[in-house]
Amino acid sequence: MKVVPRNRRLGILLSGRGSNFEAIAANIDAGKLDAEIAIVISNEPTAPGLTRARERGLNALCIPSHGRVREQFDAELVDALKKADVGLVVLAGFMRIFSNVFISAFPNLILNIHPALLPSFPGLHVQQQALTYGVKFSGCTVHIVDGVLDGGPIVHQATVPVLDNDAEETLSARILTQEHRIYTEAIDRILSGTCEIHGRRVTFQ
């Protein structure tokens, strides 16, 4: 199955500080990524990433999720993204699990970045999981979002060594540096229109 976004307009979803959003925006400004940020949406009114998006003069919107039925929230999110004519949805620390209402609206056109080498350590607190398990390498994964938590086809990965004296904070910081690099690379690959999905395998022609 070929994945061809209809345009290079990104919809970025975030719930917190939005460091991956800022890295993507900086790479667009520097000419390293041929894309446009059409809209930034947060489900948290006080998210620092939302403030930074507004400071950049971007179209920034809060759609609160607290206490709402998941499908209703997802439908409002889809409506906002489609009104902004988004071609690719990019999750940058968006702390929500989607219903099929959202996933079916953007089939194979939702990207997420996870701070571990999937399929190892899905879910939360993954750096601490890696340390507890005693792995020698960790890293980050960009994957296409489907109905399985952190389970979609893998687009890009990067590894970092786990040091003997690492704490969760130090390992997280090294992984984040790689996140900022490979997320832009993965977005660029998807926007190129050369992506094909064969089962779980993602290839680029």
Side-chain angles (χ1 to χ4, degrees), residues 44-123:
E44 295 290 344
T46 60
L50 197 61
T51 300
R52 294 184 181 118
R54 288 170 176 152
E55 289 170 350
R56 284 179 168 272
L58 295 170
N59 180 15
L61 176 66
C62 178
I63 302 178
S65 60
H66 182 69
R68 299 188 62 190
V69 175
R70 189 179 305 278
E71 288 78 6
Q72 291 177 347
F73 170 79
D74 285 0
E76 188 173 348
L77 199 58
V78 167
D79 184 60
L81 291 166
K82 292 200 168 181
K83 282 181 178 176
D85 192 25
V86 165
L88 182 65
V89 180
V90 177
L91 309 185
F94 192 64
M95 305 305 290
R96 295 278 301 177
I97 296 174
F98 292 118
S99 69
N100 192 56
V101 169
F102 191 85
I103 294 171
S104 63
F106 298 95
N108 297 320
L109 292 172
I110 309 167
L111 289 183
N112 184 45
I113 192 159
H114 183 74
L117 293 174
L118 293 173
S120 296
F121 311 127

Side-chain angles (χ1 to χ4, degrees), residues 23-197:
I24 292 165
N27 283 326
I28 291 172
D29 290 346
K32 296 178 181 178
L33 176 61
D34 180 13
E36 175 188 358
I37 297 176
I39 191 169
V40 178
I41 303 176
S42 179
N43 63 318
E44 295 290 344
T46 60
L50 197 61
T51 300
R52 294 184 181 118
R54 288 170 176 152
E55 289 170 350
R56 284 179 168 272
L58 295 170
N59 180 15
L61 176 66
C62 178
I63 302 178
S65 60
H66 182 69
R68 299 188 62 190
V69 175
R70 189 179 305 278
E71 288 78 6
Q72 291 177 347
F73 170 79
D74 285 0
E76 188 173 348
L77 199 58
V78 167
D79 184 60
L81 291 166
K82 292 200 168 181
K83 282 181 178 176
D85 192 25
V86 165
L88 182 65
V89 180
V90 177
L91 309 185
F94 192 64
M95 305 305 290
R96 295 278 301 177
I97 296 174
F98 292 118
S99 69
N100 192 56
V101 169
F102 191 85
I103 294 171
S104 63
F106 298 95
N108 297 320
L109 292 172
I110 309 167
L111 289 183
N112 184 45
I113 192 159
H114 183 74
L117 293 174
L118 293 173
S120 296
F121 311 127
L124 300 174
H125 310 297
V126 297
Q127 297 92 341
Q128 187 55 56
Q129 288 185 56
L131 292 170
T132 300
Y133 204 85
V135 298
K136 301 305 180 185
F137 289 89
S138 187
C140 48
T141 303
V142 180
H143 67 94
I144 293 169
V145 174
D146 61 12
V148 179
L149 178 64
D150 297 325
I154 292 170
V155 176
H156 201 359
Q157 290 182 304
T159 61
V160 301
V162 179
L163 307 180
D164 291 341
N165 62 348
D166 261 331
E168 185 176 2
E169 295 76 17
T170 56
L171 178 58
S172 297
R174 285 205 311 286
I175 291 173
L176 188 61
T177 298
Q178 295 303 312
E179 288 183 39
H180 292 169
R181 177 179 66 83
I182 71 167
Y183 216 174
T184 287
E185 292 175 358
I187 292 166
D188 187 55
R189 290 180 181 183
I190 297 295
L191 292 178
S192 72
T194 63
C195 174
E196 292 187 3
I197 302 175

